[in-house]
Amino acid sequence: MKLSVIIPAHNEASLIERVISDIAGELSGEKIDAEIVVVDDNSDDGTHDIVSAIAALDERIRLVKRVPPRGFGRAIRDGLEKATGDAVVVAMGDASDDPADITRYFRKIEEGYDCVFGSRFMKGSAVMDYPAVKLLLNRAANLFLRCIFWTSHNDLTNAFKAYRREVIDAIKPIESLYFNVTIEMPLKALIRGYKIAVVPVKWHGRESGVTKLKIADMGRRYLYTALYLWLQRVLVMDDINERASL
Ligand SMILES: Nc1nc2c(ncn2[C@@H]2O[C@H](COP(=O)(O)OP(=O)(O)OP(=O)(O)O)[C@@H](O)[C@H]2O)c(=O)[nH]1
Ligand SMILES: [Mg+2]
């Protein structure tokens, strides 16, 4: 089974080399057949040249160069189109995720799970340097999602998750252009009833570079995505399942 690790990156020159080499090292050590697809979104800080140089030396590293307009969701969609693996992991380009957790995800997919959702808020997880305001908003958003989707998943807002290729095909078209894709993908998998493993993950706050998340803008987009998927689940899930089984 082949794994594709998709890394969206916008202006991550200070971190991207370390991120790629740590993940590539982990996957080689674990003898996992894998590719790393870095989606550079119009960076102007040299990210593209750094990744391009690494990709020239290692055929497992692939660089996707986007043209404007940029957006986290657009980058994920492009990465998914280019990925050739039987399963995909979306991982961040700012070194916030632990490469060892990618192996844990992959092993769960090998066991037969359709998706693996990491949680930063369960026994065995670790969260370092999470800015207080973001943490508060994160907990509020996840509580809201837990209530309206009646689920025990408590970290749906983290994009770092794994999906089998079949799940990705079933949840297309992915609509979100921005960070709201972070909840669109897991919520769609959840309401379609896929078999989901939950594992504790380690997460580290950004050590350098600049945040791209604009909280004020994102609030309304997250709300829109959550509400339209809630309506989808309540009103038309039967139709969607029927279409999928045709
Ligand atoms: N390709 C692409 N990647 C993006 C875009 N926006 C953000 N990213 C990447 O997505 C990942 C997450 O973005 P961050 O800025 O770290 O967002 P965050 O984790 O909410 O905020 P921090 O507290 O700064 O870590 C990073 O790897 C970014 O480089 C974009 O428009 N296009
Ligand atoms: Mg980050």
Side-chain angles (χ1 to χ4, degrees), residues 8-10 12 39 41 70-72 75 93-94 134 206 211-212:
H10 174 70
E12 298 292 1
V39 187
D41 218 348
R70 76 173 177 91
F72 185 83
D94 63 345
K134 272 191 166 179
R206 168 186 289 287
T211 185
K212 283 93 202 173

Side-chain angles (χ1 to χ4, degrees), residues 20-239:
I20 296 171
S21 90
D22 286 355
I23 294 177
E26 167 72 21
L27 297 171
S28 312
E30 292 290 330
K31 301 196 170 26
I32 295 173
D33 178 20
E35 64 180 1
I36 298 174
V37 182
V38 182
V39 187
D40 168 50
D41 218 348
N42 309 286
S43 299
D44 54 16
D45 69 343
T47 298
H48 176 269
D49 293 344
I50 294 168
V51 181
S52 174
I54 304 171
L57 301 173
D58 185 341
E59 59 180 15
R60 294 174 304 164
I61 319 292
R62 297 172 54 205
L63 171 60
V64 177
K65 186 168 169 50
R66 294 206 65 257
V67 291
R70 76 173 177 91
F72 185 83
R74 291 187 173 101
I76 300 286
R77 294 195 312 191
D78 283 6
L80 291 172
E81 287 308 316
K82 300 286 170 2
T84 61
D86 307 296
V88 300
V89 168
V90 175
M92 300 306 101
D94 63 345
S96 55
D97 307 310
D98 183 348
D101 286 329
I102 298 178
T103 299
R104 275 179 211 112
Y105 284 7
F106 185 69
R107 300 296 176 220
K108 287 287 176 195
I109 297 278
E110 282 184 323
E111 271 178 43
Y113 285 95
D114 298 315
C115 316
V116 192
F117 292 2
S119 171
R120 294 167 288 181
F121 307 102
M122 66 188 284
K123 197 163 175 267
S125 62
V127 177
M128 283 147 285
D129 300 331
Y130 204 144
V133 174
K134 272 191 166 179
L135 179 60
L136 198 68
L137 290 170
N138 172 302
R139 298 328 294 144
N142 277 288
L143 182 62
F144 173 71
L145 294 175
R146 284 177 75 167
C147 292
I148 68 168
F149 287 93
W150 202 241
T151 173
S152 58
H153 290 285
N154 71 356
D155 200 7
L156 289 166
T157 54
N158 187 7
F160 178 52
K161 291 182 168 54
Y163 306 85
R164 239 174 233 283
R165 164 63 56 192
E166 294 88 306
V167 179
I168 296 298
D169 292 340
I171 66 177
K172 282 179 182 168
I174 291 173
E175 320 244 358
S176 308
L177 304 180
Y178 303 99
F179 276 102
N180 44 335
V181 75
T182 291
I183 58 168
E184 178 181 347
M185 293 174 66
L187 285 174
K188 279 183 163 174
L190 184 69
I191 64 181
R192 280 161 181 72
Y194 283 107
K195 196 175 159 202
I196 299 168
V198 179
V199 301
V201 291
K202 291 196 177 65
W203 186 91
H204 206 295
R206 168 186 289 287
E207 285 167 17
S208 63
V210 179
T211 185
K212 283 93 202 173
L213 181 79
K214 305 238 176 351
I215 291 172
D217 260 4
M218 275 311 126
R220 64 190 167 85
R221 293 193 177 117
Y222 273 69
L223 186 63
Y224 165 77
T225 301
L227 292 182
Y228 105 72
L229 290 175
W230 180 81
L231 281 176
Q232 186 175 87
R233 191 191 72 161
V234 172
L235 300 179
V236 294
M237 212 51 235
D238 292 350
D239 299 0

